Each structure stands twice: as structure tokens, then as C-alpha cells.
Amino acid sequence: MHPTPLTWFQIIRLGLVQTALGGIVVLTTSTVNRVMVVELALPAMLPGALVAWHYCLQILRPRFGYGADQGRRMTPWIIGGMAVLAIGGSLAAVATAVMAASWAAGLALAIIAFTLIGAGAGAAGTSLLAMLAKRAAPQRRPAAATIVWMMMIAGFAITAIVAGAFLDPFSLDRLVIVSTAVSVIALVLAIVAVTGIEGPGEAPQVPVETKYGCGFPVALAQVWAEPRARLFTIFIFVSMLAFSGQDLILEPYAGLVFGLTPGATTTLSGLQNGGVLAGMVTVALAGTFLRHDGPGSPKLWMILGCLMSALTLGGLAVGGWLATDWPLRLNIVLLGYANGVYAGAAIATMMTLAGAGAERREGTRMGIWGASQAIAFGIGGFLGTVAVDALRAITGSSLLAYGSVFAVESLLFLIAAALAFRIVAMSAAPAAPQETQSGSQLALGVG
């Protein structure tokens, strides 16, 4: 017996979980990062390595998704993951404060904090998206995914703007208080939002051993053998590599080159996420009111979003040379809008592709794409900070260092646009035979 499909109200409730998750994550990846680099004068690669570590832990996402495919209940994993994430978010601020007195002790606490953040976000985020992919009616999946992700971006924007107001005048004690308050509020919101939606777990219709042969390894190989799923995984990796490269350097860039305060740069992050939200709304409206095989096609908007992101990152690369004459806030808002168009279209495409190919693999596909995104975020964020540190050491110029990294990110978005063109072409062609192979056939193919 299949569970009842999610109502729109239940989908919005799940979106509140993403709002809560985003509220915690934005402070650890933007504000805490900026404080380490600017106020504590630590190398940018330090927060870059910490954030990379928390993303590397999310390589377990496919396994979480596979568990959803086998009927495991998602609610305990969502709540438990959010609890771990909340503890990690608060501890990250404490670790930053401790670094001011003892670098070694602060670093040890920070490693623990970001380990908790990675494990918590992976468990909660993947389990929630797997529930959405399996429980939302097929015709509602693209819109449902857009709603949920828009609500996560809203969590980024609201938290950044409100927290930014409370962080000035800045102190490390104030950072700990604000971060802890955000973590507690987010956890309570998530628990209230998800409780009662799922009901009992779904029992697999056919025993796993009978239908797929070897469990998780074959499920992973089966999804990877699907050409569209594999190409989309590569696209997600490249585009998120470009997106994440700016994530950890944007606030320090605004502080070092444009002289903005911690509260001002946190608010700037809120404006960027507000632009992301507007971009996602644009894609949602286009998909609703325009033809899906024409101007409303998410795949076409995905290409446009990548091209716009490349252009606005190019603006950041040259804008620092003009300093006070450059409209930094407008550039950041437009960058956010471009990223939102790309992300909204990619999410709609992802939810459509999640149900393509072998049945009962929605969660595994979502897990693979989530892992690709997380690994790209970790690598991109870390390499971005390493490149900034290296170029600053070589050239002695913060402006040249940050501008060069933004230029490389712009190029990566152009490559992502080319990959998106291939996805459009492949989607127009008939499905490849291996996308309908059974698990036992694939087991023979992968040894």
C-alpha cells in the first residue's frame, strides 16, 4: 500500500525544515568564516578547510537516500540530524571565540563543530529531500522542490539580515549568543514542522534481494549507469564548484576591499540570498505560466542561469578596481538572482529526473546528486580560499587575489552552461537502454 501523497500544506511544512537548516548553515559558512579571516586575521584556508571537511562528510548522502528507497522512516533522521546540526552551529561560534585566546584549543573545537554540522546536514537534508521525492505526486515534484528550496534560501536571507542587525556592534560574545539563539530556534521550528507528516514507514513492495540482487552497491552502480543521471551529476559538480568558490570569500572580500563591517557584510549576504529567492520565484512562475517545452522549460532557464552567473561573477572580478565607484550591493543582488535562476531550474530538473530510470531509486539518485553538490561545495570553498591566500602571498594584493578567483568561477559557470546544453539535447532523445536494466544485469556488468 502506497502512502498518501503530500498535500501542498505538508510540502510547505517540509520547506520550514529547510528554512531552519539554512538559518544555521548561513552563519557557519559566511559570518563565522568572515570573523576568522578579518577580525582574527587567520588564513582564509582555515575556515575553507573546516567547511570542506563538513561537506566531505556528506558523501554518505547516497546511503541515506538508499535507506529511504527501502522504506526506512525519515522523520527520526530529519529531527536527529537537525539536533546534531544545531549543536554544531552553536559550537562553531564558541570555537571561533576560543581561537582569540587559544588558537589550538579553538581549532580542536572547530573540527568537532564542523564534523557535527556535516553529519547533521547530511542526515537531515537528504532524508527530507528523499521524503519529498518519494511522497510528492509526480506532477507536483518540480514545484514542490522549488518551494522547499526557496524556503531554505529564505532561511539564509532572513537569518543573515536579522543576525547582521544583532551582531553590530560586534563582539565575540555577541557572536556566540546570536549563533546559539539561531540554532535553538531552528531546531524547534524543524521539530514542529516535520512531526506527524510521515506516518509509518513504507514497506518495500518486493524484497531487496529478490529485485535488485546486492543491495546498496548495485543500487549505486545502477543509477550511475543511467546516462542522464550521470551527466546531471557532472553538471551539478561543475556548477556547484563555481557557486561554492564565492561562498567563503565574498564576505572577506567585501570587508578587505570595500571596508565593510561584520554586520554590513552579513547583511550583504542576506541581500544576495534575497536575490537568489527572487531568481527562484522567476523560474517557478515561468514554469507555471509558460510552456514547459518552450520558454517555461527548466532546462533552458538552467542554461540562462549559468550564463548570468558567469557575467555577474565577472563583474565582481573587475569591480574591486573601482572600489567605492562600483555598485557592490547591486552586483551582489544580481549575482544572487542569477544563482537563483540557475538553482531553481536545476532543482526542477533534478526532481523530474529523480523519477526517471529504474523504479524505487528516487532516494538513491537524490543522494548521489546531493553528494556531488556537497563534495563540490567542499572542494570549491577550500580551493577558493587556498587560491586567495596563495595569490595574496605572491602578489601582496587582496584585490588581485580575490578578482582572479572570481574570474575562474565565471569560467566554470560557462563550462556548466555547456554541460546544460548537453542535458537538454539528451533529454530530447529517447532513453538509453541501460536506463531500464535490472539490478541483476547491472551487477554482472560491474563485477
PDB file of all heavy atoms in Angstrom, residues 60-72 74 126 130 134 207-209 212-220 222-223 360-368:
ATOM      1  N   LEU A  60      28.091  10.524   2.518  1.00  0.00           N
ATOM      2  CA  LEU A  60      27.170   9.467   2.955  1.00  0.00           C
ATOM      3  C   LEU A  60      25.744   9.696   2.464  1.00  0.00           C
ATOM      4  O   LEU A  60      24.871   8.850   2.704  1.00  0.00           O
ATOM      5  CB  LEU A  60      27.173   9.384   4.490  1.00  0.00           C
ATOM      6  CG  LEU A  60      28.501   8.984   5.144  1.00  0.00           C
ATOM      7  CD1 LEU A  60      28.398   9.109   6.657  1.00  0.00           C
ATOM      8  CD2 LEU A  60      28.880   7.571   4.754  1.00  0.00           C
ATOM      9  N   ARG A  61      25.485  10.807   1.790  1.00  0.00           N
ATOM     10  CA  ARG A  61      24.126  11.099   1.346  1.00  0.00           C
ATOM     11  C   ARG A  61      23.495   9.989   0.495  1.00  0.00           C
ATOM     12  O   ARG A  61      22.311   9.676   0.671  1.00  0.00           O
ATOM     13  CB  ARG A  61      24.112  12.422   0.562  1.00  0.00           C
ATOM     14  CG  ARG A  61      24.111  13.662   1.449  1.00  0.00           C
ATOM     15  CD  ARG A  61      24.168  14.927   0.603  1.00  0.00           C
ATOM     16  NE  ARG A  61      24.093  16.131   1.424  1.00  0.00           N
ATOM     17  CZ  ARG A  61      22.990  16.819   1.655  1.00  0.00           C
ATOM     18  NH1 ARG A  61      21.846  16.393   1.143  1.00  0.00           N
ATOM     19  NH2 ARG A  61      23.002  17.909   2.388  1.00  0.00           N
ATOM     20  N   PRO A  62      24.215   9.364  -0.457  1.00  0.00           N
ATOM     21  CA  PRO A  62      23.565   8.295  -1.224  1.00  0.00           C
ATOM     22  C   PRO A  62      23.056   7.155  -0.346  1.00  0.00           C
ATOM     23  O   PRO A  62      22.013   6.563  -0.639  1.00  0.00           O
ATOM     24  CB  PRO A  62      24.673   7.817  -2.169  1.00  0.00           C
ATOM     25  CG  PRO A  62      25.562   9.000  -2.336  1.00  0.00           C
ATOM     26  CD  PRO A  62      25.556   9.673  -0.981  1.00  0.00           C
ATOM     27  N   ARG A  63      23.789   6.862   0.724  1.00  0.00           N
ATOM     28  CA  ARG A  63      23.342   5.787   1.611  1.00  0.00           C
ATOM     29  C   ARG A  63      22.073   6.181   2.350  1.00  0.00           C
ATOM     30  O   ARG A  63      21.171   5.349   2.556  1.00  0.00           O
ATOM     31  CB  ARG A  63      24.451   5.423   2.621  1.00  0.00           C
ATOM     32  CG  ARG A  63      24.126   4.172   3.440  1.00  0.00           C
ATOM     33  CD  ARG A  63      23.964   2.972   2.524  1.00  0.00           C
ATOM     34  NE  ARG A  63      23.605   1.765   3.246  1.00  0.00           N
ATOM     35  CZ  ARG A  63      22.378   1.425   3.625  1.00  0.00           C
ATOM     36  NH1 ARG A  63      21.360   2.241   3.350  1.00  0.00           N
ATOM     37  NH2 ARG A  63      22.140   0.309   4.254  1.00  0.00           N
ATOM     38  N   PHE A  64      21.969   7.435   2.753  1.00  0.00           N
ATOM     39  CA  PHE A  64      20.728   7.915   3.371  1.00  0.00           C
ATOM     40  C   PHE A  64      19.570   7.783   2.380  1.00  0.00           C
ATOM     41  O   PHE A  64      18.474   7.350   2.723  1.00  0.00           O
ATOM     42  CB  PHE A  64      20.864   9.377   3.802  1.00  0.00           C
ATOM     43  CG  PHE A  64      21.743   9.590   5.006  1.00  0.00           C
ATOM     44  CD1 PHE A  64      22.806  10.492   4.954  1.00  0.00           C
ATOM     45  CD2 PHE A  64      21.510   8.919   6.195  1.00  0.00           C
ATOM     46  CE1 PHE A  64      23.615  10.697   6.059  1.00  0.00           C
ATOM     47  CE2 PHE A  64      22.325   9.120   7.303  1.00  0.00           C
ATOM     48  CZ  PHE A  64      23.375  10.007   7.228  1.00  0.00           C
ATOM     49  N   GLY A  65      19.802   8.178   1.130  1.00  0.00           N
ATOM     50  CA  GLY A  65      18.757   8.100   0.119  1.00  0.00           C
ATOM     51  C   GLY A  65      18.348   6.668  -0.170  1.00  0.00           C
ATOM     52  O   GLY A  65      17.162   6.371  -0.366  1.00  0.00           O
ATOM     53  N   TYR A  66      19.318   5.770  -0.190  1.00  0.00           N
ATOM     54  CA  TYR A  66      19.009   4.359  -0.425  1.00  0.00           C
ATOM     55  C   TYR A  66      18.133   3.804   0.690  1.00  0.00           C
ATOM     56  O   TYR A  66      17.220   3.012   0.453  1.00  0.00           O
ATOM     57  CB  TYR A  66      20.310   3.565  -0.524  1.00  0.00           C
ATOM     58  CG  TYR A  66      20.098   2.070  -0.626  1.00  0.00           C
ATOM     59  CD1 TYR A  66      19.684   1.495  -1.818  1.00  0.00           C
ATOM     60  CD2 TYR A  66      20.333   1.237   0.468  1.00  0.00           C
ATOM     61  CE1 TYR A  66      19.497   0.116  -1.922  1.00  0.00           C
ATOM     62  CE2 TYR A  66      20.142  -0.131   0.379  1.00  0.00           C
ATOM     63  CZ  TYR A  66      19.727  -0.686  -0.824  1.00  0.00           C
ATOM     64  OH  TYR A  66      19.537  -2.045  -0.912  1.00  0.00           O
ATOM     65  N   GLY A  67      18.398   4.239   1.910  1.00  0.00           N
ATOM     66  CA  GLY A  67      17.562   3.804   3.028  1.00  0.00           C
ATOM     67  C   GLY A  67      16.118   4.217   2.834  1.00  0.00           C
ATOM     68  O   GLY A  67      15.190   3.454   3.154  1.00  0.00           O
ATOM     69  N   ALA A  68      15.900   5.409   2.290  1.00  0.00           N
ATOM     70  CA  ALA A  68      14.529   5.856   2.012  1.00  0.00           C
ATOM     71  C   ALA A  68      13.885   4.981   0.955  1.00  0.00           C
ATOM     72  O   ALA A  68      12.686   4.677   1.017  1.00  0.00           O
ATOM     73  CB  ALA A  68      14.535   7.318   1.561  1.00  0.00           C
ATOM     74  N   ASP A  69      14.667   4.545  -0.044  1.00  0.00           N
ATOM     75  CA  ASP A  69      14.124   3.667  -1.085  1.00  0.00           C
ATOM     76  C   ASP A  69      13.652   2.334  -0.518  1.00  0.00           C
ATOM     77  O   ASP A  69      12.768   1.689  -1.083  1.00  0.00           O
ATOM     78  CB  ASP A  69      15.197   3.391  -2.148  1.00  0.00           C
ATOM     79  CG  ASP A  69      15.477   4.610  -3.017  1.00  0.00           C
ATOM     80  OD1 ASP A  69      14.593   5.479  -3.118  1.00  0.00           O
ATOM     81  OD2 ASP A  69      16.575   4.677  -3.586  1.00  0.00           O
ATOM     82  N   GLN A  70      14.234   1.919   0.604  1.00  0.00           N
ATOM     83  CA  GLN A  70      13.876   0.631   1.196  1.00  0.00           C
ATOM     84  C   GLN A  70      12.799   0.734   2.273  1.00  0.00           C
ATOM     85  O   GLN A  70      12.512  -0.241   2.966  1.00  0.00           O
ATOM     86  CB  GLN A  70      15.130  -0.032   1.801  1.00  0.00           C
ATOM     87  CG  GLN A  70      16.294  -0.140   0.825  1.00  0.00           C
ATOM     88  CD  GLN A  70      15.867  -0.668  -0.524  1.00  0.00           C
ATOM     89  OE1 GLN A  70      15.213  -1.709  -0.614  1.00  0.00           O
ATOM     90  NE2 GLN A  70      16.209   0.044  -1.583  1.00  0.00           N
ATOM     91  N   GLY A  71      12.202   1.912   2.409  1.00  0.00           N
ATOM     92  CA  GLY A  71      11.075   2.046   3.325  1.00  0.00           C
ATOM     93  C   GLY A  71      11.419   2.551   4.712  1.00  0.00           C
ATOM     94  O   GLY A  71      10.556   2.568   5.596  1.00  0.00           O
ATOM     95  N   ARG A  72      12.670   2.957   4.950  1.00  0.00           N
ATOM     96  CA  ARG A  72      13.041   3.460   6.273  1.00  0.00           C
ATOM     97  C   ARG A  72      12.339   4.776   6.560  1.00  0.00           C
ATOM     98  O   ARG A  72      12.176   5.611   5.678  1.00  0.00           O
ATOM     99  CB  ARG A  72      14.558   3.689   6.315  1.00  0.00           C
ATOM    100  CG  ARG A  72      15.090   4.061   7.687  1.00  0.00           C
ATOM    101  CD  ARG A  72      16.559   4.458   7.600  1.00  0.00           C
ATOM    102  NE  ARG A  72      16.732   5.706   6.850  1.00  0.00           N
ATOM    103  CZ  ARG A  72      17.919   6.143   6.420  1.00  0.00           C
ATOM    104  NH1 ARG A  72      18.995   5.422   6.594  1.00  0.00           N
ATOM    105  NH2 ARG A  72      18.010   7.292   5.774  1.00  0.00           N
ATOM    106  N   MET A  74      11.837   8.496   7.654  1.00  0.00           N
ATOM    107  CA  MET A  74      12.718   9.636   7.508  1.00  0.00           C
ATOM    108  C   MET A  74      12.648  10.623   8.679  1.00  0.00           C
ATOM    109  O   MET A  74      13.607  11.322   8.953  1.00  0.00           O
ATOM    110  CB  MET A  74      12.389  10.389   6.214  1.00  0.00           C
ATOM    111  CG  MET A  74      12.600   9.589   4.937  1.00  0.00           C
ATOM    112  SD  MET A  74      14.360   9.294   4.616  1.00  0.00           S
ATOM    113  CE  MET A  74      14.563   7.652   5.333  1.00  0.00           C
ATOM    114  N   THR A 126      19.260  15.175   3.293  1.00  0.00           N
ATOM    115  CA  THR A 126      18.991  14.090   2.353  1.00  0.00           C
ATOM    116  C   THR A 126      17.709  13.364   2.698  1.00  0.00           C
ATOM    117  O   THR A 126      16.924  13.001   1.805  1.00  0.00           O
ATOM    118  CB  THR A 126      20.163  13.092   2.345  1.00  0.00           C
ATOM    119  OG1 THR A 126      21.374  13.802   2.089  1.00  0.00           O
ATOM    120  CG2 THR A 126      19.974  12.043   1.265  1.00  0.00           C
ATOM    121  N   ALA A 130      14.587  13.083   0.184  1.00  0.00           N
ATOM    122  CA  ALA A 130      14.133  11.750  -0.203  1.00  0.00           C
ATOM    123  C   ALA A 130      12.647  11.586   0.091  1.00  0.00           C
ATOM    124  O   ALA A 130      11.899  11.010  -0.709  1.00  0.00           O
ATOM    125  CB  ALA A 130      14.942  10.691   0.534  1.00  0.00           C
ATOM    126  N   LYS A 134       9.824  10.881  -2.847  1.00  0.00           N
ATOM    127  CA  LYS A 134       9.021   9.661  -2.817  1.00  0.00           C
ATOM    128  C   LYS A 134       7.550   9.926  -2.526  1.00  0.00           C
ATOM    129  O   LYS A 134       6.673   9.200  -3.002  1.00  0.00           O
ATOM    130  CB  LYS A 134       9.584   8.689  -1.777  1.00  0.00           C
ATOM    131  CG  LYS A 134      10.971   8.175  -2.118  1.00  0.00           C
ATOM    132  CD  LYS A 134      11.444   7.138  -1.120  1.00  0.00           C
ATOM    133  CE  LYS A 134      10.666   5.848  -1.290  1.00  0.00           C
ATOM    134  NZ  LYS A 134      10.915   5.197  -2.591  1.00  0.00           N
ATOM    135  N   PRO A 207      11.094  -7.757  -1.887  1.00  0.00           N
ATOM    136  CA  PRO A 207      12.332  -7.831  -1.119  1.00  0.00           C
ATOM    137  C   PRO A 207      13.518  -7.340  -1.937  1.00  0.00           C
ATOM    138  O   PRO A 207      13.624  -7.625  -3.139  1.00  0.00           O
ATOM    139  CB  PRO A 207      12.446  -9.334  -0.807  1.00  0.00           C
ATOM    140  CG  PRO A 207      11.035  -9.828  -0.832  1.00  0.00           C
ATOM    141  CD  PRO A 207      10.354  -9.020  -1.885  1.00  0.00           C
ATOM    142  N   VAL A 208      14.396  -6.607  -1.289  1.00  0.00           N
ATOM    143  CA  VAL A 208      15.535  -6.018  -1.977  1.00  0.00           C
ATOM    144  C   VAL A 208      16.381  -7.083  -2.657  1.00  0.00           C
ATOM    145  O   VAL A 208      16.799  -6.948  -3.803  1.00  0.00           O
ATOM    146  CB  VAL A 208      16.398  -5.213  -0.980  1.00  0.00           C
ATOM    147  CG1 VAL A 208      17.650  -4.693  -1.669  1.00  0.00           C
ATOM    148  CG2 VAL A 208      15.602  -4.069  -0.394  1.00  0.00           C
ATOM    149  N   GLU A 209      16.631  -8.207  -1.961  1.00  0.00           N
ATOM    150  CA  GLU A 209      17.490  -9.244  -2.514  1.00  0.00           C
ATOM    151  C   GLU A 209      16.876  -9.850  -3.780  1.00  0.00           C
ATOM    152  O   GLU A 209      17.578 -10.229  -4.708  1.00  0.00           O
ATOM    153  CB  GLU A 209      17.728 -10.345  -1.479  1.00  0.00           C
ATOM    154  CG  GLU A 209      18.525  -9.896  -0.255  1.00  0.00           C
ATOM    155  CD  GLU A 209      17.683  -9.068   0.719  1.00  0.00           C
ATOM    156  OE1 GLU A 209      16.450  -9.061   0.577  1.00  0.00           O
ATOM    157  OE2 GLU A 209      18.258  -8.438   1.611  1.00  0.00           O
ATOM    158  N   TYR A 212      16.772  -6.522  -6.625  1.00  0.00           N
ATOM    159  CA  TYR A 212      17.985  -5.833  -7.042  1.00  0.00           C
ATOM    160  C   TYR A 212      19.270  -6.632  -6.843  1.00  0.00           C
ATOM    161  O   TYR A 212      20.305  -6.243  -7.331  1.00  0.00           O
ATOM    162  CB  TYR A 212      18.098  -4.493  -6.306  1.00  0.00           C
ATOM    163  CG  TYR A 212      16.947  -3.572  -6.607  1.00  0.00           C
ATOM    164  CD1 TYR A 212      16.087  -3.142  -5.605  1.00  0.00           C
ATOM    165  CD2 TYR A 212      16.712  -3.151  -7.902  1.00  0.00           C
ATOM    166  CE1 TYR A 212      15.022  -2.301  -5.895  1.00  0.00           C
ATOM    167  CE2 TYR A 212      15.647  -2.323  -8.201  1.00  0.00           C
ATOM    168  CZ  TYR A 212      14.816  -1.902  -7.201  1.00  0.00           C
ATOM    169  OH  TYR A 212      13.765  -1.078  -7.475  1.00  0.00           O
ATOM    170  N   GLY A 213      19.205  -7.703  -6.095  1.00  0.00           N
ATOM    171  CA  GLY A 213      20.331  -8.618  -6.035  1.00  0.00           C
ATOM    172  C   GLY A 213      21.345  -8.362  -4.951  1.00  0.00           C
ATOM    173  O   GLY A 213      21.651  -9.252  -4.190  1.00  0.00           O
ATOM    174  N   CYS A 214      21.928  -7.176  -4.865  1.00  0.00           N
ATOM    175  CA  CYS A 214      23.061  -6.984  -3.958  1.00  0.00           C
ATOM    176  C   CYS A 214      22.951  -5.735  -3.092  1.00  0.00           C
ATOM    177  O   CYS A 214      23.963  -5.263  -2.573  1.00  0.00           O
ATOM    178  CB  CYS A 214      24.364  -6.940  -4.756  1.00  0.00           C
ATOM    179  SG  CYS A 214      24.699  -8.430  -5.704  1.00  0.00           S
ATOM    180  N   GLY A 215      21.760  -5.152  -2.969  1.00  0.00           N
ATOM    181  CA  GLY A 215      21.592  -4.020  -2.074  1.00  0.00           C
ATOM    182  C   GLY A 215      22.245  -2.746  -2.568  1.00  0.00           C
ATOM    183  O   GLY A 215      22.299  -2.464  -3.768  1.00  0.00           O
ATOM    184  N   PHE A 216      22.814  -1.970  -1.628  1.00  0.00           N
ATOM    185  CA  PHE A 216      23.272  -0.618  -1.918  1.00  0.00           C
ATOM    186  C   PHE A 216      24.337  -0.531  -3.016  1.00  0.00           C
ATOM    187  O   PHE A 216      24.235   0.333  -3.897  1.00  0.00           O
ATOM    188  CB  PHE A 216      23.778   0.035  -0.633  1.00  0.00           C
ATOM    189  CG  PHE A 216      24.362   1.395  -0.840  1.00  0.00           C
ATOM    190  CD1 PHE A 216      23.587   2.439  -1.309  1.00  0.00           C
ATOM    191  CD2 PHE A 216      25.708   1.627  -0.575  1.00  0.00           C
ATOM    192  CE1 PHE A 216      24.124   3.705  -1.515  1.00  0.00           C
ATOM    193  CE2 PHE A 216      26.254   2.890  -0.765  1.00  0.00           C
ATOM    194  CZ  PHE A 216      25.464   3.926  -1.242  1.00  0.00           C
ATOM    195  N   PRO A 217      25.391  -1.367  -3.036  1.00  0.00           N
ATOM    196  CA  PRO A 217      26.399  -1.225  -4.097  1.00  0.00           C
ATOM    197  C   PRO A 217      25.808  -1.322  -5.501  1.00  0.00           C
ATOM    198  O   PRO A 217      26.178  -0.560  -6.393  1.00  0.00           O
ATOM    199  CB  PRO A 217      27.372  -2.385  -3.816  1.00  0.00           C
ATOM    200  CG  PRO A 217      27.213  -2.655  -2.357  1.00  0.00           C
ATOM    201  CD  PRO A 217      25.755  -2.418  -2.068  1.00  0.00           C
ATOM    202  N   VAL A 218      24.876  -2.267  -5.700  1.00  0.00           N
ATOM    203  CA  VAL A 218      24.276  -2.396  -7.024  1.00  0.00           C
ATOM    204  C   VAL A 218      23.339  -1.230  -7.303  1.00  0.00           C
ATOM    205  O   VAL A 218      23.264  -0.740  -8.427  1.00  0.00           O
ATOM    206  CB  VAL A 218      23.529  -3.748  -7.144  1.00  0.00           C
ATOM    207  CG1 VAL A 218      22.596  -3.750  -8.348  1.00  0.00           C
ATOM    208  CG2 VAL A 218      24.540  -4.870  -7.266  1.00  0.00           C
ATOM    209  N   ALA A 219      22.610  -0.768  -6.279  1.00  0.00           N
ATOM    210  CA  ALA A 219      21.736   0.398  -6.476  1.00  0.00           C
ATOM    211  C   ALA A 219      22.550   1.598  -6.934  1.00  0.00           C
ATOM    212  O   ALA A 219      22.148   2.341  -7.838  1.00  0.00           O
ATOM    213  CB  ALA A 219      21.002   0.710  -5.177  1.00  0.00           C
ATOM    214  N   LEU A 220      23.719   1.790  -6.324  1.00  0.00           N
ATOM    215  CA  LEU A 220      24.591   2.902  -6.692  1.00  0.00           C
ATOM    216  C   LEU A 220      25.085   2.747  -8.129  1.00  0.00           C
ATOM    217  O   LEU A 220      25.061   3.696  -8.925  1.00  0.00           O
ATOM    218  CB  LEU A 220      25.769   2.959  -5.721  1.00  0.00           C
ATOM    219  CG  LEU A 220      26.604   4.230  -5.676  1.00  0.00           C
ATOM    220  CD1 LEU A 220      25.762   5.420  -5.244  1.00  0.00           C
ATOM    221  CD2 LEU A 220      27.778   4.042  -4.725  1.00  0.00           C
ATOM    222  N   GLN A 222      23.705   0.998 -10.473  1.00  0.00           N
ATOM    223  CA  GLN A 222      22.569   1.068 -11.384  1.00  0.00           C
ATOM    224  C   GLN A 222      22.244   2.514 -11.749  1.00  0.00           C
ATOM    225  O   GLN A 222      22.051   2.840 -12.918  1.00  0.00           O
ATOM    226  CB  GLN A 222      21.352   0.399 -10.753  1.00  0.00           C
ATOM    227  CG  GLN A 222      20.123   0.368 -11.641  1.00  0.00           C
ATOM    228  CD  GLN A 222      18.945  -0.289 -10.972  1.00  0.00           C
ATOM    229  OE1 GLN A 222      18.822  -0.245  -9.758  1.00  0.00           O
ATOM    230  NE2 GLN A 222      18.086  -0.896 -11.759  1.00  0.00           N
ATOM    231  N   VAL A 223      22.214   3.380 -10.751  1.00  0.00           N
ATOM    232  CA  VAL A 223      21.925   4.789 -11.018  1.00  0.00           C
ATOM    233  C   VAL A 223      23.053   5.428 -11.826  1.00  0.00           C
ATOM    234  O   VAL A 223      22.815   6.195 -12.767  1.00  0.00           O
ATOM    235  CB  VAL A 223      21.686   5.552  -9.703  1.00  0.00           C
ATOM    236  CG1 VAL A 223      21.582   7.050  -9.960  1.00  0.00           C
ATOM    237  CG2 VAL A 223      20.421   5.047  -9.023  1.00  0.00           C
ATOM    238  N   ARG A 360      11.995   2.794  -7.831  1.00  0.00           N
ATOM    239  CA  ARG A 360      12.427   2.742  -6.435  1.00  0.00           C
ATOM    240  C   ARG A 360      13.901   3.126  -6.278  1.00  0.00           C
ATOM    241  O   ARG A 360      14.631   2.528  -5.499  1.00  0.00           O
ATOM    242  CB  ARG A 360      12.151   1.378  -5.826  1.00  0.00           C
ATOM    243  CG  ARG A 360      10.674   1.020  -5.769  1.00  0.00           C
ATOM    244  CD  ARG A 360      10.437  -0.311  -5.083  1.00  0.00           C
ATOM    245  NE  ARG A 360      10.760  -0.229  -3.654  1.00  0.00           N
ATOM    246  CZ  ARG A 360       9.938   0.256  -2.727  1.00  0.00           C
ATOM    247  NH1 ARG A 360       8.759   0.732  -3.057  1.00  0.00           N
ATOM    248  NH2 ARG A 360      10.300   0.283  -1.466  1.00  0.00           N
ATOM    249  N   ARG A 361      14.300   4.126  -7.049  1.00  0.00           N
ATOM    250  CA  ARG A 361      15.664   4.638  -6.933  1.00  0.00           C
ATOM    251  C   ARG A 361      15.672   6.156  -6.743  1.00  0.00           C
ATOM    252  O   ARG A 361      16.716   6.789  -6.883  1.00  0.00           O
ATOM    253  CB  ARG A 361      16.474   4.270  -8.184  1.00  0.00           C
ATOM    254  CG  ARG A 361      16.830   2.780  -8.259  1.00  0.00           C
ATOM    255  CD  ARG A 361      17.834   2.412  -7.175  1.00  0.00           C
ATOM    256  NE  ARG A 361      18.150   1.000  -7.182  1.00  0.00           N
ATOM    257  CZ  ARG A 361      17.738   0.132  -6.255  1.00  0.00           C
ATOM    258  NH1 ARG A 361      16.959   0.551  -5.268  1.00  0.00           N
ATOM    259  NH2 ARG A 361      18.088  -1.113  -6.312  1.00  0.00           N
ATOM    260  N   GLU A 362      14.511   6.743  -6.423  1.00  0.00           N
ATOM    261  CA  GLU A 362      14.453   8.198  -6.269  1.00  0.00           C
ATOM    262  C   GLU A 362      15.407   8.685  -5.184  1.00  0.00           C
ATOM    263  O   GLU A 362      16.140   9.656  -5.364  1.00  0.00           O
ATOM    264  CB  GLU A 362      13.022   8.647  -5.937  1.00  0.00           C
ATOM    265  CG  GLU A 362      11.990   8.278  -6.986  1.00  0.00           C
ATOM    266  CD  GLU A 362      11.284   6.966  -6.679  1.00  0.00           C
ATOM    267  OE1 GLU A 362      11.880   6.137  -5.952  1.00  0.00           O
ATOM    268  OE2 GLU A 362      10.157   6.780  -7.160  1.00  0.00           O
ATOM    269  N   GLY A 363      15.368   8.018  -4.042  1.00  0.00           N
ATOM    270  CA  GLY A 363      16.216   8.434  -2.936  1.00  0.00           C
ATOM    271  C   GLY A 363      17.690   8.298  -3.241  1.00  0.00           C
ATOM    272  O   GLY A 363      18.504   9.154  -2.880  1.00  0.00           O
ATOM    273  N   THR A 364      18.061   7.196  -3.935  1.00  0.00           N
ATOM    274  CA  THR A 364      19.464   6.994  -4.278  1.00  0.00           C
ATOM    275  C   THR A 364      19.945   8.066  -5.243  1.00  0.00           C
ATOM    276  O   THR A 364      21.058   8.595  -5.108  1.00  0.00           O
ATOM    277  CB  THR A 364      19.660   5.596  -4.893  1.00  0.00           C
ATOM    278  OG1 THR A 364      19.139   4.610  -3.997  1.00  0.00           O
ATOM    279  CG2 THR A 364      21.132   5.317  -5.137  1.00  0.00           C
ATOM    280  N   ARG A 365      19.121   8.393  -6.246  1.00  0.00           N
ATOM    281  CA  ARG A 365      19.505   9.459  -7.172  1.00  0.00           C
ATOM    282  C   ARG A 365      19.670  10.787  -6.437  1.00  0.00           C
ATOM    283  O   ARG A 365      20.639  11.516  -6.656  1.00  0.00           O
ATOM    284  CB  ARG A 365      18.451   9.611  -8.279  1.00  0.00           C
ATOM    285  CG  ARG A 365      18.405   8.448  -9.253  1.00  0.00           C
ATOM    286  CD  ARG A 365      17.479   8.724 -10.429  1.00  0.00           C
ATOM    287  NE  ARG A 365      17.264   7.485 -11.183  1.00  0.00           N
ATOM    288  CZ  ARG A 365      16.252   6.647 -10.979  1.00  0.00           C
ATOM    289  NH1 ARG A 365      15.324   6.944 -10.086  1.00  0.00           N
ATOM    290  NH2 ARG A 365      16.152   5.539 -11.663  1.00  0.00           N
ATOM    291  N   MET A 366      18.719  11.108  -5.592  1.00  0.00           N
ATOM    292  CA  MET A 366      18.818  12.368  -4.834  1.00  0.00           C
ATOM    293  C   MET A 366      20.064  12.370  -3.964  1.00  0.00           C
ATOM    294  O   MET A 366      20.726  13.401  -3.805  1.00  0.00           O
ATOM    295  CB  MET A 366      17.566  12.542  -3.972  1.00  0.00           C
ATOM    296  CG  MET A 366      16.273  12.724  -4.759  1.00  0.00           C
ATOM    297  SD  MET A 366      16.215  14.256  -5.695  1.00  0.00           S
ATOM    298  CE  MET A 366      15.986  15.429  -4.365  1.00  0.00           C
ATOM    299  N   GLY A 367      20.402  11.210  -3.408  1.00  0.00           N
ATOM    300  CA  GLY A 367      21.600  11.118  -2.574  1.00  0.00           C
ATOM    301  C   GLY A 367      22.870  11.328  -3.372  1.00  0.00           C
ATOM    302  O   GLY A 367      23.793  12.021  -2.924  1.00  0.00           O
ATOM    303  N   ILE A 368      22.934  10.740  -4.571  1.00  0.00           N
ATOM    304  CA  ILE A 368      24.115  10.918  -5.418  1.00  0.00           C
ATOM    305  C   ILE A 368      24.269  12.379  -5.811  1.00  0.00           C
ATOM    306  O   ILE A 368      25.368  12.952  -5.749  1.00  0.00           O
ATOM    307  CB  ILE A 368      24.013  10.024  -6.667  1.00  0.00           C
ATOM    308  CG1 ILE A 368      24.182   8.548  -6.271  1.00  0.00           C
ATOM    309  CG2 ILE A 368      25.055  10.417  -7.708  1.00  0.00           C
ATOM    310  CD1 ILE A 368      23.970   7.585  -7.413  1.00  0.00           C
TER     311      ILE A 368
END
